[in-house]
Amino acid sequence: MTEASAVRFIELTIDGQSVRVPEGTTLLEACRGQGIATPTLCYLENLTPVNVCRVCVVELEGSRTLVPACSRRAETGMVVHTDSDRVRLSRRMVLEFLASSVDLSLAPAVGEYLRRYNAHPERLGPPAAGSERDFRPVGHHHQPDGTTAETVAQPVKVDNELYIRDYSRCILCYKCVEACGVDAQNTFAIAVAGRGFDARISTEFAVPLPESACVYCGNCIGVCPTGALMFSSEYELRQTGAWDEAKQAQTDTICPYCGVGCTLTLHVQDNQIVKVTSPLDHDVGHGHLCVKGRFGWQFVQNRTDPAKE
Amino acid sequence: MDLRLRATPPHATERAAVDAVLGPPESGWVGGVRRSESDGHVARGGHDMRTRRHLLLPALHAVQDRLGWISPEALNYICQRLDIPPAEAYGVVSFYALLSLSPQPPVVAHVCDDLACLTKGAGAICAELERTIGPAGTPSADSRVTWHRSPCLGLCEQAPAALILAAGDSPHTQTLSSIRAADVVTALRSDHAAETIPMILPQAGDTGLRLLRRVGVVDPTSLDSYRAHGGYTALRRALELGPSRVIREVTDSKLLGRGGAAFPMGRKWEAVAQAAIHPHYLICNADESEPGTFKDRILMEEDPFALLEAMTIAGFATDCQQGYLYIRGEYPHARERLAGAIAQAHARGFLGENVMGHGFRFDIELRRGAGAYICGEETALMNSIEGYRGEPRNKPPFPVQVGLFGKPTVINNVETLVNVLDIVLHGGLAFAAIGTPGSTGPKLFCVSGCVTRPGLYEVPFGVTLRELLALAGGVRDGGSLQAVLLGGAAGSFVTPDQLDTPLTFEGTRTIGASLGSGVVMVFDDTVDLKAIVLRIAAFFRDESCGQCVPCRVGTVRQQEQLQRLLTGHTLSTLPEELTLRADIGQVMRDASICGLVQTAASAIESALAKLQLLTPSRVS
């Protein structure tokens, strides 16, 4: 029995270094184990890799194309290059494509990636103005004139009191769909609809969230890497210019509602809870919460202020 | 699954259309009549129901055929019947060009304005339709008809062409060839389809043919006629040889896949035959959508039993009991012929529980695409069959290990499979003696554009492009050749000085081209090649599935930049724009998930390199 359950190790070469990892390790995990900084956007530890953003691609000798590090498992004898010209160019282009079409101003990791890969999205053209994008049919498009770069800019969706959806910031990483589906919540309120550049995250027939299957667990907000999904509390503070992360404290506590014991990280600004997250490495919830833990904290603030009595 | 569904029930017609595919609902839980004595205690659901998800696309087709669009209530009912979340089903419907999510007139013309039709005046036809009916996608004044511009319909030898789809109690379809705008309007307004299938078969009756020997000779609606022309002798021989010997013959034949990727067929069969996990599945990829390609359509329309026989041999050799034949939605005639052929083969024991009395069980299910080029990619096709969006899967694992429904799967193109008949009958070595050492056997070429006799041509591998063009009568009206598009939109342009290139896998490689799906599209000097190249860029942008960034954004940036390069209104200096051009091409080839975008830059790059299309740069 012990033999059968023993972990087998795999030897491969990454950037000239011989590396030994347990069987089943992905190239991304192997790289991170070596301290090799690998950019990721659609990858998250608590979700199944979908390998769609392609920013983590690495060069694998013998492979015609680059391979996504996030999902490709290490195999014995692989020779991997993570910083070759081909890798750098593809990462740069992926970043330029995204930055030229999506508002990435609230995606914290991307600024550093853009600098690291010397990305200049402006060479693809000045951004085109946005419009409604919910019902674009599949098929022929108008011929662009090439003077501007098409973007996904569109109106913000504010259709409930708890969170907003600003798909001008959506890079279509599929994380929210995964969190809403089998990777966490099993609610399936949203899916990818449409095709090509018109592909978008949508409810059925783009109905507002209150008419959809959404249960407001907010796990989609928890996994969104670009600020496209945002607590209304944060959105409103940002609208008035009052949002200030420098003034915020983060405090971990245990959710007071049920016996599961999820850890809540309260983000507090000016003595007000402004949003709630949960650590990804938490044993119980793996960063996912339910509607109560995520949004049910108003009662904390409803106490009478003793100073005023 | 705990679905949130709408309270509004479907219209009776919608319900009937869905029930015709799925059968009547079994209980009140899935949209039937609530039976108080039993429904309160049991519900059918869970795994049992989710295994029916592959019926999603057939159910959607049924509603689309009946009503011309898929209403929220109809979609809701399908979701209830199949236990699919409405958001996911909406994602699937919105993936396909032939399914509509908004009400539209019952009669719709899909007018091809893709490459071959563009060279034959499709632009003027569309302009005329805009004047007489209205802009594409808008209903006519009386709301009875509408029209859409369509990507390649696979009718290139009959260009310009259109496809009419009429929804209703008895839906009908009609293909129109060599059209004028007035023909489209007349067909839109007629109550019934004129049941003629136009045939252009330049080599019909040539006794030296192999793949096409029965095409235009046999009665494609008759199993007896097929047998009278040598049909089912190859299957009989295969059953005598046994599976491993059949695979050995295929391996000896050195047959390479004809769909575009040229993968060794023997290796694929061997891998599935030996796979320990069961069941194994066989798929025939008949989602022929590469612009300029029509070879598989003609094989299926004119010799459908040959494909069924070849699939049965493939199933026998690789230990599959179930085959799927996935045919593109734009091929209604081929679909009808195949459906008829499957029914006859079943009735006569060439399919079913006991094939030819040999104790071997094999069935073929016909599945119909709904307007998505990407579904010709093998793993996207599998997702489409399974009832998901036709997004390609990451490889590895490859389909021979993890394919349809997660099981080992052989997937072959139509032309590839039909080659198997001769391999089994005459032996792999005899087949390998045809053609060249690197490219064995006969090959079909889809010759279209500005030639005297466009059509499907069979030649042995090794014939040069010049010889093939001569076979098709050369450039029409004695014009002079400007360029040839070899391999389709995913192929590359070839110039008149390269006509002596042998049409083989290795020969085309030496000039940086590829055979692709066998497209040979000819452009004389009257053709505006800028319009052709822009159309290729538009095609890939329209057909991207949108899953990975290099394709979703890259195809748009490629299209925008090409417009700048061809008009001269560049954003920066020409060398800077050309660097950007190269960078876009490289990330598409290097970092995307599937073959669509890995080849989406090749024709455009070859055009810019060879065809002097650039306008002197005027930085704006």
Side-chain angles (χ1 to χ4, degrees):
Chain A
M1 277 306 287
T2 48
E3 272 177 18
S5 61
V7 179
R8 293 204 303 179
F9 279 81
I10 278 173
E11 284 196 39
L12 69 161
T13 307
I14 302 178
D15 292 342
Q17 300 287 311
S18 183
V19 180
R20 199 158 172 269
V21 294
E23 188 173 30
T25 303
T26 62
L27 293 180
L28 179 66
E29 290 160 346
C31 287
R32 290 192 168 165
Q34 293 297 296
I36 298 168
T38 307
T40 57
L41 287 169
C42 70
Y43 172 81
L44 200 64
E45 288 78 354
N46 61 353
L47 300 173
T48 312
V50 288
N51 56 70
V52 298
C53 79
R54 317 304 280 185
V55 80
C56 72
V57 287
V58 296
E59 191 169 345
L60 171 64
E61 285 190 12
S63 168
R64 186 170 49 84
T65 59
L66 304 178
V67 303
C70 65
S71 64
R72 188 63 180 260
R73 298 204 182 276
E75 292 165 35
T76 299
M78 276 182 165
V79 180
V80 176
H81 305 281
T82 71
D83 203 37
S84 65
D85 288 347
R86 278 176 76 191
V87 170
R88 292 189 64 85
L89 181 86
S90 276
R91 289 180 179 177
R92 173 187 175 180
M93 291 310 297
V94 164
L95 292 165
E96 287 185 355
F97 283 165
L98 287 176
S100 67
S101 54
V102 184
D103 177 357
L104 295 175
S105 57
L106 295 183
V110 175
E112 192 269 320
Y113 294 165
L114 288 168
R115 283 188 296 280
R116 197 195 307 171
Y117 293 99
N118 194 27
H120 293 284
E122 64 281 1
R123 70 181 178 137
L124 293 162
S131 61
E132 186 58 53
R133 298 182 62 84
D134 278 349
F135 299 102
R136 302 200 169 193
V138 164
H140 281 43
H141 291 79
H142 285 293
Q143 181 71 36
D145 65 9
T147 57
T148 55
E150 189 171 344
T151 66
V152 297
Q154 58 191 293
V156 181
K157 292 187 193 318
V158 184
D159 57 14
N160 67 88
E161 290 178 9
L162 298 180
Y163 71 101
I164 62 97
R165 295 175 291 154
D166 182 0
Y167 290 128
S168 301
R169 302 181 187 278
C170 176
I171 58 167
L172 217 70
C173 68
Y174 288 58
K175 282 178 180 169
C176 56
V177 177
E178 290 199 287
C180 191
V182 289
D183 276 0
Q185 194 60 30
N186 283 289
T187 288
F188 306 97
I190 47 172
V192 179
R195 203 167 74 187
F197 196 75
D198 300 332
R200 62 221 173 238
I201 306 296
S202 182
T203 57
E204 65 274 19
F205 291 90
V207 297
L209 285 180
E211 292 172 34
S212 79
C214 179
V215 296
Y216 303 96
C217 64
N219 289 328
C220 53
I221 311 171
V223 298
C224 179
T226 59
L229 303 174
M230 190 181 279
F231 281 75
S232 296
S233 49
E234 175 176 349
Y235 178 70
E236 283 155 16
L237 286 171
R238 285 186 185 277
Q239 291 297 97
T240 60
W243 181 262
D244 186 355
E245 277 174 26
K247 285 168 63 184
Q248 290 172 15
Q250 296 186 16
T251 307
D252 281 2
T253 183
I254 304 296
C255 180
Y257 284 102
C258 77
V260 171
C262 298
T263 298
L264 305 182
T265 303
L266 307 178
H267 298 242
V268 180
Q269 178 180 330
D270 300 329
N271 211 27
Q272 293 284 322
I273 299 170
V274 291
K275 72 172 173 183
V276 171
T277 58
S278 183
L280 295 187
D281 58 0
H282 188 259
D283 289 346
V284 179
H286 303 286
H288 302 303
L289 296 171
C290 75
V291 59
K292 290 182 279 187
R294 183 81 64 182
F295 292 109
W297 33 261
Q298 282 79 4
F299 73 93
V300 179
Q301 321 260 201
N302 280 351
R303 70 193 187 285
T304 317
D305 188 342
K308 288 185 181 167
E309 290 211 333
Chain B
M1 210 179 289
D2 187 17
L3 301 181
R4 173 157 170 166
L5 298 163
R6 293 173 170 252
T8 330
H11 190 272
T13 325
E14 293 168 330
R15 181 187 286 271
V18 174
D19 289 354
V21 176
L22 304 180
E26 287 178 8
S27 74
W29 293 98
V30 289
V33 180
R34 184 86 196 255
R35 293 167 304 184
S36 54
E37 76 283 7
S38 60
D39 283 5
H41 305 288
V42 288
R44 188 161 166 277
H47 184 73
D48 220 22
M49 225 154 126
R50 283 196 295 280
T51 56
R52 283 159 45 98
R53 177 153 182 161
H54 65 103
L55 295 171
L56 176 58
L57 195 49
L60 292 169
H61 271 307
V63 175
Q64 176 75 34
D65 285 351
R66 195 77 163 260
L67 293 126
W69 75 293
I70 292 155
S71 72
E73 291 75 23
L75 188 69
N76 191 67
Y77 181 59
I78 294 172
C79 289
Q80 185 178 20
R81 294 296 315 275
L82 294 175
D83 206 28
I84 298 172
E88 282 195 9
Y90 179 80
V92 172
V93 181
S94 62
F95 192 83
Y96 294 105
L98 296 181
L99 303 177
S100 176
L101 281 162
S102 53
Q104 64 171 356
V107 188
V108 183
H110 294 268
V111 181
C112 180
D113 72 345
D114 220 324
L115 305 176
C117 291
L118 209 51
T119 67
K120 301 275 178 88
I125 292 168
C126 289
E128 175 78 26
L129 290 174
E130 279 180 359
R131 280 193 298 276
T132 51
I133 302 176
T138 56
S140 59
D142 63 356
S143 301
R144 293 281 306 141
V145 303
T146 188
W147 72 288
H148 294 288
R149 292 168 186 269
S150 172
C152 183
L153 292 169
L155 295 163
C156 316
E157 85 282 24
Q158 309 168 19
L163 171 69
I164 310 275
L165 300 178
D169 291 342
S170 50
H172 64 266
T173 57
Q174 188 179 357
T175 50
L176 305 174
S177 55
S178 306
I179 51 167
R180 295 161 300 144
D183 301 330
V184 178
V185 175
T186 308
L188 278 169
R189 298 290 179 186
S190 113
D191 294 344
H192 57 281
E195 257 322 308
T196 52
I197 302 178
M199 275 202 295
I200 298 179
L201 304 167
Q203 290 175 305
D206 181 339
T207 51
L209 297 173
R210 297 164 198 276
L211 291 164
L212 298 181
R213 68 170 168 268
R214 279 182 294 263
V215 166
V217 177
V218 77
D219 174 0
T221 63
S222 160
L223 177 56
D224 289 325
S225 175
Y226 179 65
R227 294 191 71 193
H229 287 86
Y232 282 111
T233 51
L235 177 59
R236 185 174 303 283
R237 175 88 181 123
L239 294 171
E240 287 162 14
L241 293 174
S244 54
R245 178 75 195 281
V246 170
I247 292 179
R248 201 166 83 220
E249 296 297 340
V250 171
T251 305
D252 286 348
S253 75
K254 297 200 271 177
L255 174 63
L256 302 180
R258 307 297 200 230
F263 191 83
M265 179 96 151
R267 260 172 51 202
K268 208 184 256 188
W269 283 26
E270 183 87 54
V272 173
Q274 292 182 352
I277 294 170
H278 282 79
H280 300 169
Y281 289 108
L282 171 78
I283 300 175
C284 171
N285 184 347
D287 193 54
E288 173 175 73
S289 307
E290 183 64 45
T293 317
F294 49 88
K295 62 190 176 67
D296 295 344
R297 172 179 58 78
I298 290 179
L299 283 174
M300 292 186 288
E301 283 176 356
E302 301 304 328
D303 199 7
F305 290 99
L307 178 58
L308 303 189
E309 183 181 357
M311 284 181 72
T312 311
I313 293 171
F316 175 68
T318 57
D319 197 12
C320 301
Q321 296 190 342
Q322 180 66 49
Y324 287 88
L325 206 174
Y326 187 97
I327 183 168
R328 69 181 300 206
E330 293 86 345
Y331 281 178
H333 298 310
R335 193 170 71 241
E336 281 162 28
R337 291 262 163 97
L338 286 165
I342 289 171
Q344 286 186 56
H346 229 283
R348 303 273 293 274
F350 291 98
L351 284 174
E353 291 295 327
N354 186 8
V355 172
M356 291 185 89
H358 199 271
F360 160 61
R361 179 179 159 195
F362 189 70
D363 271 311
I364 295 175
E365 213 176 303
L366 196 53
R367 288 302 176 101
R368 164 184 171 196
Y373 171 71
I374 189 58
C375 288
E377 199 279 341
E378 56 187 11
T379 57
L381 189 156
M382 290 170 195
N383 278 342
S384 180
I385 291 180
E386 291 181 22
Y388 293 87
R389 291 164 56 81
E391 293 175 354
R393 303 172 183 171
N394 205 56
K395 292 185 265 193
F398 292 94
V400 293
Q401 305 155 311
V402 181
L404 185 65
F405 304 117
K407 304 297 181 193
T409 301
V410 190
I411 175 163
N412 289 132
N413 162 267
V414 174
E415 180 190 354
T416 319
L417 281 166
V418 173
N419 272 299
V420 169
L421 301 178
D422 266 9
I423 293 172
V424 168
L425 277 176
H426 306 300
L429 294 175
F431 184 90
I434 306 163
T436 68
S439 307
T440 58
K443 178 75 192 95
L444 299 179
F445 287 100
C446 313
V447 183
S448 65
C450 313
V451 289
T452 309
R453 288 187 298 277
L456 183 61
Y457 290 86
E458 177 189 321
V459 291
F461 269 117
V463 163
T464 65
L465 185 50
R466 188 184 303 281
E467 289 162 343
L468 180 64
L469 294 186
L471 202 58
V475 178
R476 68 177 176 194
D477 305 329
S480 73
L481 180 68
Q482 194 177 181
V484 175
L485 179 62
L486 198 59
S492 49
F493 286 91
V494 169
T495 43
D497 57 306
Q498 296 174 316
L499 290 185
D500 292 316
T501 307
L503 294 172
T504 57
F505 295 114
E506 63 278 14
T508 48
R509 210 174 294 132
T510 59
I511 58 162
S514 75
L515 288 181
S517 52
V519 171
V520 176
M521 200 179 291
V522 178
F523 304 107
D524 67 13
D525 55 7
T526 66
V527 175
D528 174 11
L529 283 181
K530 286 187 180 181
I532 297 292
V533 178
L534 284 170
R535 174 58 207 157
I536 292 175
F539 175 81
F540 284 114
R541 184 254 171 95
D542 295 343
E543 296 298 332
S544 164
C545 84
Q547 190 184 192
C548 71
V549 174
C551 184
R552 182 175 75 242
V553 188
T555 52
V556 176
R557 296 292 176 259
Q558 166 166 278
Q559 188 189 20
E560 290 165 348
Q561 204 220 9
L562 187 66
Q563 183 73 23
R564 294 199 292 275
L565 289 171
L566 297 188
T567 56
H569 294 286
T570 52
L571 289 169
S572 52
T573 65
L574 186 58
E576 283 169 325
E577 286 275 20
L578 290 177
T579 303
L580 178 60
R581 168 62 260 167
D583 290 349
I584 293 173
Q586 189 171 335
V587 69
M588 285 177 156
R589 271 190 300 279
D590 263 359
S592 52
I593 293 177
C594 81
L596 179 148
V597 73
Q598 286 160 17
T599 55
S602 95
I604 292 161
E605 287 180 338
S606 73
L608 293 178
K610 294 178 183 173
L611 300 178
Q612 281 88 48
L613 299 177
L614 294 178
T615 304
S617 181
R618 301 187 296 273
V619 178
S620 45

